Amino acid sequence: MDRSFLINEIKRLKTERNACTLAHNYQVPEVQDIADIVGDSFALSRAAAKMDKEIIVFCGVRFMAESAKILSPDKKVLIPSKYAGCPLADSITAKQLEAMKSKHPGAAAVCYVNSSAEVKAISDICCTSSNAVKVVESLKEDEVLFVPDENLAGYVAEKVSGKHIIPWPGHCITHARITVKDLVKTSKEHPEAEILVHPEVSEEIRESSDFVGSTSQIIDHARKSSNTEFIIGTEIGVLHKMKKDNPDKKFYLMSPRLVCENMKMTSLESVYRCLLNMEYEVSVPENIRKKAENSLEKMLCIE
Ligand code: CIZ
């Protein structure tokens, strides 16, 4: 379908349906460009809850759209691709977390936002990659179950003293594709570049980097830094905003394999079809939604 037709139709349908489109930092450039807001998953969900729109089209993966529904129960939340999931979020079920909790009865259960609504519902508190350290520091319990990302858990364990962190052995398959060889190669090619990575990367990559942060923190850091060259160790989608924000700076992706197939399932065409056919609706059963909201709200209280 013609690109300008799709853009015009998306604009028209957004007005007609009183809808907004939110795009995660990992979305393809053209989807980011038509979005009302671009950002990380939790910032998007919070912003959507405040927007005076009846319909939220979440251009991202399922757990993100679920978070939007948890915070906006009275709005209709749609996701353009029904297959856009997250293997990291799917790596732990509520039953598995229950089993972990029974093995460690005195421990607090912290779940990263990259988790299902069911897992959020039975966690004591949620965290994002930006506030995970603060969230864990705020807990009174010395023993902490941290799910589902073992690399983020490792990063938190390094930063927080006096807590025993028990990670779930899950990881992001996209971030796991970066090797030390990739890091060494890109650093040799761009010796002046600052290395910015996401905490979902492995410990060995993190240790050889200059800055570790969430997608929004990486984007902010590049904007504020006096450096002009950066090697980026997270999904390729963030480069779009970074290049737009900093036309005089140079950005190099640490590996061409940093592409999340699930994030790339959304296109201008799928956003158009989503608005046209009002599909695919994301719902969360009310009993689960309320408990998951509680875990998210607890996190907001310590921010
Ligand atoms: O929750 C998010 O948005 C993800 C997946 C990463 C981040 O750091 O923004």
Side-chain angles (χ1 to χ4, degrees), residues 24-26 39-44 58 61 63-64 86 88 112-114 127-130 175 198-200 213-218 234 238 263:
H24 188 264
N25 290 322
Y26 293 158
D40 62 46
S41 66
F42 195 64
L44 290 176
F58 207 113
V61 296
F63 81 81
M64 300 178 174
C86 171
L88 170 61
Y112 182 28
V113 282
N114 294 38
C127 72
T128 66
S129 44
S130 335
H175 285 101
H198 195 276
E200 288 178 24
S214 67
T215 54
S216 305
Q217 287 171 332
I218 289 176
T234 191
V238 296
M263 283 286 176

Side-chain angles (χ1 to χ4, degrees), residues 1-21 34 36 57 267-278:
M1 259 184 234
D2 179 63
R3 191 188 157 95
S4 55
F5 166 81
L6 290 172
I7 293 172
N8 289 335
E9 278 300 283
I10 289 170
K11 281 186 189 155
R12 182 184 69 75
L13 287 165
K14 275 206 291 194
T15 313
E16 198 176 294
R17 309 254 195 245
N18 191 21
C20 61
T21 66
I34 48 103
D36 296 275
V57 174
S267 60
L268 277 185
E269 189 163 337
S270 67
V271 176
Y272 161 65
R273 290 195 191 287
C274 175
L275 279 160
L276 184 70
N277 303 322
M278 299 290 280

Side-chain angles (χ1 to χ4, degrees), residues 123-277:
S123 296
D124 294 300
I125 188 164
C126 287
C127 72
T128 66
S129 44
S130 335
N131 64 18
V133 170
K134 259 194 186 173
V135 165
V136 172
E137 274 172 347
S138 76
L139 300 169
K140 61 179 190 324
E141 292 86 351
D142 294 333
E143 205 173 39
V144 177
L145 309 178
F146 194 100
V147 304
D149 191 299
E150 62 182 351
N151 290 320
L152 180 59
Y155 174 67
V156 171
E158 258 170 37
K159 300 276 173 196
V160 181
S161 52
K163 303 267 184 214
H164 175 46
I165 304 206
I166 303 162
W168 176 257
H171 63 263
C172 163
I173 55 171
T174 304
H175 285 101
R177 292 184 192 133
I178 321 178
T179 62
V180 172
K181 232 172 138 180
D182 292 320
L183 192 149
V184 171
K185 182 172 176 283
T186 42
S187 310
K188 272 197 185 147
E189 285 166 357
H190 310 288
E192 302 301 323
E194 205 180 342
I195 304 173
L196 318 182
V197 302
H198 195 276
E200 288 178 24
V201 300
S202 67
E203 185 180 350
E204 52 189 353
I205 302 287
R206 195 171 69 232
E207 278 174 352
S208 309
S209 302
D210 299 308
F211 177 84
V212 181
S214 67
T215 54
S216 305
Q217 287 171 332
I218 289 176
I219 291 167
D220 271 6
H221 182 89
R223 198 174 42 234
K224 290 178 188 153
S225 171
S226 55
N227 278 296
T228 55
E229 290 186 64
F230 303 88
I231 293 169
I232 305 301
T234 191
E235 214 272 347
I236 188 169
V238 296
L239 294 185
H240 181 57
K241 188 156 170 41
M242 292 173 117
K243 287 180 181 170
K244 254 169 104 172
D245 288 354
N246 311 277
D248 300 330
K249 296 185 178 180
K250 290 196 172 119
F251 299 95
Y252 314 104
L253 197 62
M254 197 177 286
S255 159
R257 295 181 304 283
L258 278 165
V259 180
C260 170
E261 292 76 10
N262 282 283
M263 283 286 176
K264 301 317 182 220
M265 285 179 184
T266 307
S267 60
L268 277 185
E269 189 163 337
S270 67
V271 176
Y272 161 65
R273 290 195 191 287
C274 175
L275 279 160
L276 184 70
N277 303 322

